[in-house]
Amino acid sequence: MAAGRTTGAGVVRVRIRGIYATALTRLALDYGFQVVQASRVIADRFGIPQLTLPADVTLKNSDSDPSELVVVGYTWAVEKVLEKLRETLPYSFYWRSRLPLHATVKARVRGRASGEACIAEVEGVEAELADEEVCEPGREVVASVVRPGVKPWERPRLALGARVIGDYAILFESPRPRVTVSEHVRMQEKRAELAALATEYTSRGLSVHWRSSSQHADAETLRRHLEELYQALLEARERAERGGPGVYTPGETVAVVRLSSLDKATLDTVRDKVTPTIELHHSVKSLAPSISTVVDYAEKLKARGVDPALLREALLDTMGEMLSSRRSVRIIHVKLDGRVVELGRGEVRSIYRENGRLIVVIERRVRSRGVYDGLGAEKEPGDRIVTEIDTGSWLVKHTYYSRSGWVKGIYVNVNTPPEVAEDALVYLDLEVDVVKKPGEKPRLIDEDELKKALESGIVTEKLYREALEKARKALGD
């Protein structure tokens, strides 16, 4: 498609933004990618030009969760980037869209369950259809993907009408033709020019969204670009109407990488090769912004020759004091499907630094009845759960006590080494666990869930093997 490098060839053009920008730029250059639209700080730091070429793929941290790295762009480029990231950052979770964002599709309507959205299907993927007036089971509709569904529990969303995407713009059919411009295009003169260029197409009943890269192109280039998109849209609409259910234009792949503490540490090391960086830099920046200035100050001290080991100890002490000051702290684990689960709040019974890590003991009181998952032991009001967390360990140990003090069972969670957040300890839950009840041998549970995650590409082979090794060692203990 002439309107963009959607089929791709040659060097990947990468745009990088956010709190991981320095480390990711160093990696991108090492991978042989071309960094485009670099910020002034990054361009100066690396001595590279601020190329205004449109990007094939963008890397940035998520606004909603800075521990997540978002990778979005043409599929061929995203695949190359992900291949390199999985090699360099193997201890994180990887999710990718099941349908291409902004793609034209033909979907078959399945209908609507009681109280639910209208459901349509594209190539075996269930999606929500925004236009419910066409929710007739068996009907086939031409639509476009407006939400891709990245994590396993997220359902893609479709809107009626064909859509095509290029380097500078997105052109699509819609009931209310309009022109929108990326918020990153800030010059009013350019925004006015873009609106004028799009008028011809809104008069044809089409909507235009100008992408951020449009600010760097001249009017004639943009005019040709829109015409190419228009021809591609007509062709896509015609092919989709003639054909059966499926995907008819490339769109973009969206991937989300939930970074682990180990991979953030790797990014710390990479960043340190460019500018003085202390350990836990990216962990603090993403999870504990209230002490971000402590990191900035420590890095100024490192640049002046202060021992990095002393700076790490001081930072750990600060993190420990931050947790100790809370009335209660949370234990949060990120599941393989991307859901964030809070185990509950508890009181910090002790916290201390040892060999470059924090050891935290948290106690929770049980107020309800039920059964402890995995253990099968009875849950009763007055029970105590004592959790031992070591930020340098792959294991989190929960011991369940009755009101009278006898042990009901031990549950050892296998996870990536925990990180300290503002009022929580956070880790990636690897699903496989070890449980032990009094008088019984320890048991390994949920290994099949980790295996499924490997098969679906959520975890790498390296993370899979490491998790099993830690679990089997805990089983032996």
Side-chain angles (χ1 to χ4, degrees):
M1 175 176 163
R5 294 172 20 125
T6 52
T7 54
V11 177
V12 179
R13 299 174 186 165
V14 183
R15 174 173 49 221
I16 302 171
R17 294 289 186 271
I19 61 176
Y20 307 103
T22 298
L24 291 175
T25 299
R26 177 70 274 160
L27 290 176
L29 293 172
D30 290 346
Y31 296 153
F33 299 155
Q34 185 178 39
V35 176
V36 299
Q37 300 177 38
S39 69
R40 170 55 60 191
V41 171
I42 293 297
D44 290 346
R45 187 167 281 171
F46 286 89
I48 58 176
Q50 288 183 287
L51 299 174
T52 59
L53 295 169
D56 300 316
V57 61
T58 295
L59 282 74
K60 60 183 180 179
N61 61 270
S62 165
D63 293 332
S64 59
D65 184 351
S67 287
E68 290 184 345
L69 178 63
V70 179
V71 186
V72 56
Y74 299 136
T75 298
W76 68 272
V78 171
E79 287 177 349
K80 289 185 178 182
V81 170
L82 288 179
E83 179 184 3
K84 292 297 186 181
L85 288 178
R86 289 172 70 92
E87 293 174 1
T88 309
L89 308 172
Y91 299 115
S92 296
F93 290 169
Y94 289 80
W95 304 290
R96 59 184 297 168
S97 51
R98 288 168 289 161
L99 291 177
L101 180 63
H102 304 307
T104 295
V105 301
K106 192 168 191 179
R108 178 175 288 116
V109 177
R110 291 179 54 181
R112 177 173 42 238
S114 177
E116 291 189 3
C118 181
I119 303 300
E121 185 176 307
V122 183
E123 295 186 344
V125 177
E126 282 190 0
E128 294 179 4
L129 185 60
D131 307 83
E132 297 192 1
E133 66 274 12
V134 298
C135 195
E136 302 170 13
R139 183 172 181 173
E140 294 182 353
V141 295
V142 176
S144 53
V145 181
V146 295
R147 186 178 69 203
V150 179
K151 296 174 183 177
W153 57 271
E154 293 176 331
R155 186 181 279 161
R157 187 171 178 81
L158 310 177
L160 290 180
R163 178 177 300 230
V164 288
I165 185 170
D167 287 342
Y168 303 111
I170 302 169
L171 185 66
F172 56 101
E173 299 172 334
S174 66
R176 293 182 297 278
R178 63 193 186 278
V179 180
T180 55
V181 182
S182 166
E183 63 182 38
H184 301 294
V185 181
R186 295 189 173 90
M187 292 182 60
Q188 290 304 315
E189 296 86 351
K190 190 65 177 182
R191 295 178 72 90
E193 175 186 90
L194 295 172
L197 287 169
T199 302
E200 177 183 349
Y201 297 91
T202 56
S203 67
R204 300 178 189 178
L206 301 174
S207 288
V208 177
H209 174 72
W210 289 107
R211 308 179 72 185
S212 62
S213 54
S214 63
Q215 65 188 303
H216 303 300
D218 60 68
E220 183 56 32
T221 297
L222 295 174
R223 188 176 289 109
R224 289 197 306 269
H225 182 69
L226 281 182
E227 182 58 29
E228 291 169 352
L229 285 178
Y230 179 64
Q231 294 302 322
L233 183 71
L234 295 180
E235 294 170 8
R237 158 63 74 173
E238 182 181 356
R239 287 187 290 110
E241 287 180 342
R242 290 199 316 263
V247 178
Y248 284 86
T249 60
E252 291 186 314
T253 290
V254 182
V256 172
V257 184
R258 186 29 167 99
L259 295 168
S260 67
S261 60
L262 297 168
D263 288 337
K264 288 180 188 177
T266 294
L267 293 174
D268 293 343
T269 301
V270 172
R271 188 179 189 275
D272 191 42
K273 295 175 181 178
V274 181
T275 186
T277 303
I278 66 169
E279 294 180 61
L280 299 172
H281 171 101
H282 290 103
S283 184
V284 170
K285 294 288 183 178
S286 57
L287 288 172
S290 70
I291 59 172
S292 180
T293 54
V294 175
V295 169
D296 296 337
Y297 182 64
E299 289 173 347
K300 286 181 171 60
L301 293 177
K302 180 176 180 177
R304 287 161 173 77
V306 176
D307 185 352
L310 294 178
L311 295 174
R312 177 185 173 87
E313 290 179 2
L315 179 57
L316 284 171
D317 287 342
T318 301
M319 297 169 83
E321 290 164 4
M322 179 179 68
L323 284 181
S324 297
S325 69
R326 309 295 183 183
R327 293 184 59 184
S328 61
V329 298
R330 298 175 295 154
I331 302 171
I332 295 176
H333 59 205
V334 181
K335 304 290 286 183
L336 288 167
D337 65 1
R339 296 181 190 273
V340 178
V341 177
E342 181 179 321
L343 296 188
R345 287 187 173 272
E347 295 183 17
V348 175
R349 291 306 187 195
S350 68
I351 182 167
Y352 57 94
R353 173 172 49 82
E354 180 181 279
N355 297 327
R357 61 190 196 274
L358 286 178
I359 311 297
V360 187
V361 178
I362 298 171
E363 182 176 307
R364 289 174 285 154
R365 291 282 181 171
V366 176
R367 294 181 173 83
S368 60
R369 293 186 178 275
V371 176
Y372 293 117
D373 291 341
L375 281 173
E378 184 180 4
K379 178 196 295 185
E380 299 173 288
D383 286 355
R384 292 183 304 120
I385 306 173
V386 177
T387 300
E388 302 168 51
I389 299 177
D390 178 344
T391 60
S393 173
W394 289 68
L395 307 175
V396 170
K397 181 181 178 182
H398 307 279
T399 305
Y400 299 81
Y401 295 93
S402 69
R403 181 194 294 269
S404 58
W406 58 272
V407 176
K408 290 189 170 184
I410 296 173
Y411 194 107
V412 180
N413 199 84
V414 181
N415 45 256
T416 57
E419 297 178 88
V420 176
E422 296 285 349
D423 67 341
L425 288 132
V426 186
Y427 51 77
L428 305 191
D429 180 28
L430 298 172
E431 205 64 47
V432 59
D433 301 304
V434 174
V435 296
K436 186 179 187 306
K437 293 178 69 174
E440 298 181 5
K441 291 183 178 181
R443 293 183 295 115
L444 189 65
I445 62 172
D446 296 333
E447 184 178 348
D448 57 330
E449 295 301 320
L450 180 61
K451 181 69 173 178
K452 290 177 185 176
L454 172 67
E455 293 169 348
S456 63
I458 295 173
V459 302
T460 65
E461 181 76 27
K462 191 168 186 177
L463 180 54
Y464 172 76
R465 293 187 181 280
E466 192 76 37
L468 285 185
E469 179 184 329
K470 302 299 183 186
R472 287 165 181 159
K473 183 177 179 180
L475 189 65
D477 290 345

